[in-house]
Amino acid sequence: MKKLTVHIQAELEVPDDWEIVEHGPGIRVLKIGENYVDFDIAPLATECSDPDEAEWSDEDEELTSRILDAVTGIDVELSID
């Protein structure tokens, strides 16, 4: 087996009323109104080889499950500046 490392960094412009809160021991999440939001990896796939025609989705549940089953660790860090 090989090890694949995926680094994903996203920057969002969010309204002032969205905040980062503790949700359980050591778990920081985004609070939007009454909702608590965490970020996770969501693999998207397509069967189309033409990049101009490709439609990416996670609808192939079996493939998505195989990919997520391969995840051995994930770390999410949230900050608001």
Side-chain angles (χ1 to χ4, degrees):
M1 285 284 229
K2 299 182 274 187
K3 185 178 212 176
L4 170 68
T5 302
V6 178
H7 294 276
I8 299 173
Q9 181 174 336
E11 189 172 297
L12 293 76
E13 290 188 13
V14 300
D16 290 336
D17 62 335
W18 291 16
E19 60 184 325
I20 296 174
V21 299
E22 295 287 326
H23 192 268
I27 300 172
R28 293 169 40 102
V29 298
L30 188 61
K31 187 164 192 294
I32 304 172
E34 299 301 315
N35 296 292
Y36 297 90
V37 178
D38 196 7
F39 293 86
D40 202 344
I41 186 171
L44 303 176
T46 185
E47 292 182 353
C48 183
S49 62
D50 181 348
D52 294 327
E53 299 293 323
E55 292 186 25
W56 296 87
S57 77
D58 61 356
E59 291 178 359
D60 185 335
E61 292 180 17
E62 183 179 333
L63 178 60
T64 299
S65 182
R66 284 182 53 209
I67 295 167
L68 292 177
D69 286 347
V71 175
T72 59
I74 191 164
D75 185 30
V76 175
E77 182 179 320
L78 301 177
S79 65
I80 292 181
D81 298 322

